[in-house]
Amino acid sequence: PFVIRYYNQTAGANAGKVIFARYNGSNSAAVFSTMTLNDDQWHHIAAVKSGTQIQLYIDGALNGSATDLTTGTTTNTSAVYVGRRGNNFYNWFNGTIDELSIWDRALCRGEILNNMNCELNPAGQSNLTGLYSFNNGYVNSNNAGLTTLADASVSANNGTLNGFGLTGNTSNWTSGWATGTCSAFVPLSATATNSSPVSIGNSLTLSSSVTGSNSTGAVSYTWSGPGLTNTTTGNTSLIVNPVTGMNGGVYTVTATAVGCSTTATTTVNV
């Protein structure tokens, strides 16, 4: 399974740190935060499995990563526990939780930032499998009987509160952090074109443009193709000069902005 844990004051040198880990029964991979979160302030935690890496983001910044040493699936029939370590009754989280989302895909940094301080609209979200906004109940009031945590995603996998007093200022529904509704995140999308047909000895221009939520800021373009290997530029165009007979063929551009990437191809005729 995947776990996100907060280490309390009994954890020695790791007290106040967050760990993101995965275990498949024989191998494990883990990344510890490099910073402690014990300042009595709200912090945003995002745990991402992207390819062979597990990544831990804190307040929208990549704080650490590790190679995932596990293999195969970790799908199981165990319940998802929030605020407690698995099926035991002594590892509780002494804190406040708001706006929990679970996804069946890796979110890039730009999307994490987009969704960080606001309430997510579940409509149109790709591979969103759980969305818990913790908006049930009344702040620090008598919430006896309000023990259901609503899941606003299409999964409708509602949670059940266990062991809560549900009255007063502790062990109860309380004020959260997220405010307003998140703007719709539009994934980065790229197109690629070129100035061919081109004759040997002349120059070739490779061009790309991007759209999406992060397209108006700094974008890097990495080109690869015949005679070109991972050439990166901050410009929308790359000039190959002079063109040789080996420059004909398919070129791929990878556009990256705020940790989000997309690719496009174009065919050059020489």
Side-chain angles (χ1 to χ4, degrees):
F2 290 94
V3 296
I4 305 171
R5 293 175 183 157
Y6 176 79
Y7 283 94
N8 64 19
Q9 67 273 12
T10 65
N14 288 323
K17 292 187 176 182
V18 175
I19 178 177
F20 171 42
R22 187 188 190 202
Y23 180 62
N24 67 352
S26 57
N27 297 313
S28 63
V31 54
F32 286 81
S33 66
T34 60
M35 59 189 295
T36 56
L37 305 180
N38 52 10
D39 56 1
D40 201 29
Q41 301 294 316
W42 283 96
H43 292 278
H44 184 270
I45 306 297
V48 179
K49 169 71 165 69
S50 179
T52 61
Q53 295 287 303
I54 59 172
Q55 303 167 333
L56 179 64
Y57 290 81
I58 297 180
D59 296 331
L62 180 62
N63 188 261
S65 62
T67 300
D68 186 2
L69 302 176
T70 62
T71 57
T73 180
T74 55
T75 300
N76 57 75
T77 58
S78 175
V80 174
Y81 293 89
V82 179
R84 190 179 86 187
R85 181 180 176 181
N87 193 22
N88 66 60
F89 297 92
Y90 53 89
N91 289 125
W92 301 89
F93 174 62
N94 184 16
T96 308
I97 300 173
D98 193 20
E99 201 66 18
L100 169 66
S101 59
I102 303 173
W103 305 76
D104 191 22
R105 63 178 175 87
L107 272 63
C108 62
R109 181 172 178 252
E111 189 167 8
I112 291 171
L113 288 168
N114 186 83
N115 302 341
M116 191 168 69
N117 297 316
C118 45
E119 292 193 353
L120 193 67
N121 181 352
Q125 301 293 341
S126 171
N127 295 87
L128 175 67
T129 60
L131 178 59
Y132 304 91
S133 295
F134 293 82
N135 289 338
N136 309 76
Y138 301 91
V139 174
N140 300 334
S141 298
N142 184 352
N143 289 299
L146 296 178
T147 58
T148 298
L149 174 61
D151 177 9
S153 77
V154 294
S155 301
N157 187 20
N158 296 334
T160 302
L161 272 63
N162 290 285
F164 281 80
L166 294 178
T167 185
N169 296 331
T170 61
S171 192
N172 198 0
W173 298 102
T174 190
S175 299
W177 170 252
T179 58
T181 302
C182 302
S183 60
F185 179 80
V186 181
L188 203 65
S189 178
T191 59
T193 58
N194 68 83
S195 60
S196 70
V198 60
S199 300
I200 293 174
N202 291 336
S203 63
L204 167 70
T205 301
L206 301 170
S207 301
S208 180
S209 61
V210 294
T211 58
S213 294
N214 301 130
S215 61
T216 58
V219 181
S220 67
Y221 301 88
T222 300
W223 289 91
S224 61
L228 206 61
T229 304
N230 294 335
T231 301
T232 301
T233 177
N235 300 318
T236 57
S237 297
L238 177 68
I239 297 176
V240 179
N241 188 29
V243 168
T244 68
M246 65 179 297
N247 289 131
V250 177
Y251 287 77
T252 300
V253 62
T254 300
T256 303
V258 198
C260 304
S261 296
T262 186
T263 61
T265 61
T266 183
T267 301
V268 170
N269 298 306
V270 176

